[in-house]
Amino acid sequence: QVQLVESGGGLVQPGGSLRVSCAARLFTSDTRVIGWFRQAPGKEREGVSWMSSSDGSTFYADSVKGRFTISRDNARNTMHLQMNSLKVEDSAMYYCAAAVGPGSWARMLTGEYDYWGQGTQVTVSS
């Protein structure tokens, strides 16, 4: 059973920083894309950022480019999302998600995730 476990959310003031992490367990395929989407109450789900395990390619939504950085710790099978210059509109539940096998990048773009975690809340407020 594939597991994605998020951690690191919390409350931060506008302009502040947070790092959320995703521990990925029991993957059996080496072809996978892992990253983050978010959803705020009353808003559509938004793909935020992800990384391909095969070549390290990354994706960032326009809304977070230049502020968020995705990285991975292969030894710990963990993905991190460093979020800087946070804005009130970044407030949402952040979910770790993954797509595996052929077409995985395309499925991340369309939100057709194969696996996702329980989410961690990020609140940006003064």
Side-chain angles (χ1 to χ4, degrees):
Q1 182 76 20
V2 172
Q3 291 182 329
L4 300 172
V5 181
E6 303 97 335
S7 61
L11 172 65
V12 65
Q13 292 187 341
S17 298
L18 272 178
R19 189 177 80 162
V20 291
S21 299
C22 174
R25 302 188 179 121
L26 301 179
F27 273 107
T28 57
S29 170
D30 288 331
T31 306
R32 57 188 180 266
V33 181
I34 303 176
W36 301 87
F37 69 90
R38 65 186 180 186
Q39 188 158 26
K43 295 188 178 180
E44 290 189 1
R45 188 174 62 186
E46 179 187 18
V48 176
S49 178
W50 53 83
M51 179 183 286
S52 167
S53 64
S54 60
D55 61 7
S57 298
T58 57
F59 166 86
Y60 294 97
D62 287 343
S63 58
V64 306
K65 277 181 184 175
R67 301 187 297 121
F68 290 14
T69 303
I70 193 168
S71 62
R72 63 186 177 189
D73 181 342
N74 289 332
R76 293 178 174 80
N77 250 4
T78 301
M79 189 76 72
H80 304 291
L81 184 68
Q82 178 67 41
M83 304 182 291
N84 298 329
S85 302
L86 282 161
K87 305 175 181 179
V88 171
E89 51 264 41
D90 293 317
S91 297
M93 187 72 81
Y94 282 70
Y95 297 88
C96 183
V100 301
S104 52
W105 188 273
R107 291 204 304 283
M108 292 295 282
L109 286 170
T110 57
E112 297 172 75
Y113 312 117
D114 294 314
Y115 306 100
W116 55 93
Q118 297 287 343
T120 185
Q121 180 67 40
V122 171
T123 302
V124 185
S125 174
S126 55

